[in-house]
Amino acid sequence: MKTKQNIAIFASYNGSNLDPIYKACINNDLNISISTIITNNSDAKVINKAKKLNIPYHIINDKNTKDIDKKIIEVLEATDCNMIVLAGYMKKLSATITQKYKIINSHPSLLPKYGGAGMYGKFVHHAVINNKEEYSGITIHYVNDKYDDGEIILQKKLKLKENETAQSLEEKIKELESKTIVKALQVCLK
Ligand code: GRF
């Protein structure tokens, strides 16, 4: 069996995708180890999850760090980590970071539709509903230094109900993401 690859999870709020990834690691469905969690938000719920799961975490933002890229690289090098999964990380990563690491993001729409600056969370779902789309879905993709632009790894679509709301769509999308992120990581690790 190949040695486990260390990954870092970056999250700004809940870090919802941490849960399915952690479960898959425990069940040996993924040959990886979550070596660290990085957040830019000192109030992020993901910090409590990190504490509960005993995963080291780091708060890195411009309030406490002069050179954010340098600090991120320092933390990742300390844990021999070459891969990052973004789990709702709201800060744009610099080209220094995107060029140095393999980075994966889950976006709550069928890219290239509803991607780009300002297109995140409920903004995406409201736009999809306002435009009376028949389908929405998720895209798991590699990250480059442009918003939602990197190579697509996996997409899954779902059909909207007649009375769909941004809230109900968000719930379905999150469920679909949690099922798909592990599959996408398995594809990337091959
Ligand atoms: C996910 O729905 C994903 O599409 C996006 O961030 C959302 C997760 O945020 N990138 P959170 O885990 O609820 O904070």
Side-chain angles (χ1 to χ4, degrees):
M1 198 179 183
K2 280 201 278 181
T3 46
K4 285 195 180 181
Q5 172 152 9
N6 288 326
I7 69 155
I9 297 201
F10 283 36
S12 298
Y13 298 103
N14 305 305
S16 309
N17 278 335
L18 167 63
D19 306 306
I21 296 172
Y22 181 79
K23 238 188 233 163
C25 293
I26 296 288
N27 296 338
N28 280 323
D29 291 332
L30 279 174
N31 194 28
I32 57 171
S33 160
I34 304 168
S35 61
T36 190
I37 291 172
I38 291 180
T39 182
N40 61 318
N41 173 11
S42 54
D43 293 324
K45 284 195 181 146
V46 75
I47 294 174
N48 286 335
K49 287 188 187 174
K51 287 180 182 163
K52 219 168 130 190
L53 301 175
N54 221 1
I55 302 172
Y57 67 91
H58 299 266
I59 300 164
I60 305 178
N61 57 35
D62 44 23
K63 285 190 200 119
N64 65 12
T65 313
K66 229 172 158 193
D67 188 337
I68 290 184
D69 288 350
K70 191 170 160 230
K71 180 72 189 166
I72 289 176
I73 293 170
E74 234 172 67
V75 169
L76 298 189
E77 283 183 351
T79 54
D80 194 21
C81 178
N82 295 311
M83 188 166 163
I84 300 169
V85 177
L86 304 183
Y89 187 67
M90 297 303 163
K91 202 99 184 117
K92 194 163 187 279
L93 292 166
S94 72
T96 307
I97 301 296
T98 58
Q99 282 163 20
K100 191 170 168 65
Y101 298 100
K102 190 193 255 189
I103 310 177
I104 288 150
N105 182 45
S106 172
H107 184 81
S109 77
L110 294 169
L111 290 175
K113 280 185 146 184
Y114 304 103
M119 275 293 158
Y120 59 89
K122 284 228 170 59
F123 294 108
V124 173
H125 308 310
H126 280 299
V128 165
I129 285 168
N130 289 343
N131 288 342
K132 301 190 178 3
E133 296 283 358
E134 200 183 346
Y135 292 94
S136 188
I138 62 152
T139 304
I140 299 185
H141 64 98
Y142 289 111
V143 172
N144 60 22
D145 59 345
K146 293 189 205 115
Y147 279 118
D148 306 321
D149 180 67
E151 187 194 331
I152 291 175
I153 301 162
L154 268 183
Q155 284 189 307
K156 293 269 175 203
K157 68 178 187 176
L158 57 79
K159 199 168 168 45
L160 270 68
K161 287 186 308 199
E162 232 164 72
N163 55 351
E164 200 77 72
T165 63
Q167 178 72 34
S168 65
L169 183 57
E170 184 173 46
E171 282 162 19
K172 283 200 253 179
I173 292 274
K174 281 200 167 184
E175 203 185 316
L176 189 59
E177 277 179 325
S178 80
K179 286 185 192 144
T180 313
I181 188 74
V182 171
K183 278 189 199 133
L185 281 170
Q186 285 164 340
V187 169
C188 301
L189 292 168
K190 262 188 195 154

